Amino acid sequence: MPSIAIDGPSGAGKSTIARSAAAQLGFIHVDTGALYRAIGLFAHRAGISDRDEAALSAHFSEIQVELDHRGEEQAIFLNGEDVSEEIRKPEISMAASNVSALPAVRAFLLDLQREMAVKYSVIMDGRDIGTVVLPNADLKIFLTATSEDRAMRRYLELVTFGEKVRYEEVLADLKRRDKNDSERAAAPLKQADDAILLDTTGNEMEESVLLVIKTIRERGVG
């Protein structure tokens, strides 16, 4: 099965772009960030520090995370509950960044991610897909944009969900997450040596989707 890895920093539009491109190309979209958000949500609800690897590992037997694809949409389930909207809240975003730095959590979710690529033709997005999860992917793309551009996209998304947030707060949170993701010891965010860099700063979403689809088709994968 062909596989496409899309990596990049928070707010680069990876999931939205990957989801739309996958629908147009007949691939399955796998948003791995949603998996880490689900673990972050579990920790938040259970009152477990999202930085305490030992405490969180002790609860792995109580955690069941599943992805369900309904046409173009992907739903994420935590122990049978659809948490697709709840995991997008700002506090869960930071929890996701913290738990994703824990090697035990990454190992816990690694097989699930790889199994998806074995079963389906996938476009999988995250932070370490091209470097760790699918190092032999048929095509690797590193999607980025300026921090200000990415923060504005995230701000508008949160406002759409009804969240009362300030752009300045979203930008500060995004910069903190960039720092966490890039400096963590376990699978830090970085561009794979053989990944194609695509900068979407200033693009409308549809422009970015078309750019990714064009790149995929030019490489003969889609």
Side-chain angles (χ1 to χ4, degrees), residues 89-147:
K89 294 181 178 179
E91 63 269 24
I92 305 305
S93 291
M94 282 309 302
S97 181
N98 291 336
V99 300
S100 69
L102 304 176
V105 174
R106 304 200 72 83
F108 177 64
L109 294 174
L110 183 59
D111 286 345
L112 174 60
Q113 296 171 72
R114 287 179 172 170
E115 284 170 8
M116 295 292 290
V118 171
K119 292 180 182 178
Y120 308 106
S121 298
V122 300
I123 297 181
M124 186 177 295
D125 73 86
R127 301 287 193 282
D128 65 342
I129 309 305
T131 54
V132 176
V133 180
L134 301 178
N136 297 315
D138 296 287
L139 175 63
K140 301 175 187 178
I141 293 172
F142 193 87
L143 203 62
T144 191
T146 64
S147 55

Side-chain angles (χ1 to χ4, degrees), residues 38-39 42 59-67 76-81 83 108-109 112:
I39 302 297
F42 177 89
H59 290 270
F60 281 166
S61 61
E62 304 168 26
I63 303 175
Q64 182 179 15
V65 181
E66 296 175 290
L67 293 173
I76 181 79
F77 288 81
L78 174 61
N79 294 334
E81 176 191 354
V83 294
F108 177 64
L109 294 174
L112 174 60

Side-chain angles (χ1 to χ4, degrees), residues 18-178:
R19 180 169 62 247
S20 182
Q24 295 184 51
L25 295 170
F27 280 61
I28 291 291
H29 169 232
V30 181
D31 173 11
T32 63
L35 300 175
Y36 290 99
R37 286 173 178 269
I39 302 297
L41 176 61
F42 177 89
H44 181 75
R45 287 178 170 180
I48 302 170
S49 169
D50 50 35
R51 298 178 184 273
D52 191 333
E53 185 170 22
L56 193 52
S57 298
H59 290 270
F60 281 166
S61 61
E62 304 168 26
I63 303 175
Q64 182 179 15
V65 181
E66 296 175 290
L67 293 173
D68 184 32
H69 293 85
R70 302 166 180 170
E72 188 175 333
E73 295 301 317
Q74 174 187 267
I76 181 79
F77 288 81
L78 174 61
N79 294 334
E81 176 191 354
D82 187 343
V83 294
S84 304
E85 291 192 11
E86 191 168 358
I87 61 171
R88 300 298 168 182
K89 294 181 178 179
E91 63 269 24
I92 305 305
S93 291
M94 282 309 302
S97 181
N98 291 336
V99 300
S100 69
L102 304 176
V105 174
R106 304 200 72 83
F108 177 64
L109 294 174
L110 183 59
D111 286 345
L112 174 60
Q113 296 171 72
R114 287 179 172 170
E115 284 170 8
M116 295 292 290
V118 171
K119 292 180 182 178
Y120 308 106
S121 298
V122 300
I123 297 181
M124 186 177 295
D125 73 86
R127 301 287 193 282
D128 65 342
I129 309 305
T131 54
V132 176
V133 180
L134 301 178
N136 297 315
D138 296 287
L139 175 63
K140 301 175 187 178
I141 293 172
F142 193 87
L143 203 62
T144 191
T146 64
S147 55
E148 291 77 13
D149 201 62
R150 292 184 286 121
M152 180 57 70
R153 294 174 188 172
R154 180 57 53 83
Y155 168 75
L156 294 174
E157 178 185 38
L158 291 171
V159 170
T160 299
F161 283 134
E163 296 289 329
K164 294 181 179 180
V165 293
R166 295 172 56 246
Y167 166 76
E168 292 77 12
E169 295 171 345
V170 176
L171 178 59
D173 283 345
L174 183 142
K175 288 182 176 179
R176 281 195 294 270
R177 188 164 188 189
D178 281 352

Side-chain angles (χ1 to χ4, degrees), residues 10 97 100 127 177-184 187-189:
S10 178
S97 181
S100 69
R127 301 287 193 282
R177 188 164 188 189
D178 281 352
K179 181 177 174 62
N180 286 350
D181 291 345
S182 298
E183 296 181 358
R184 69 191 182 206
L189 168 68

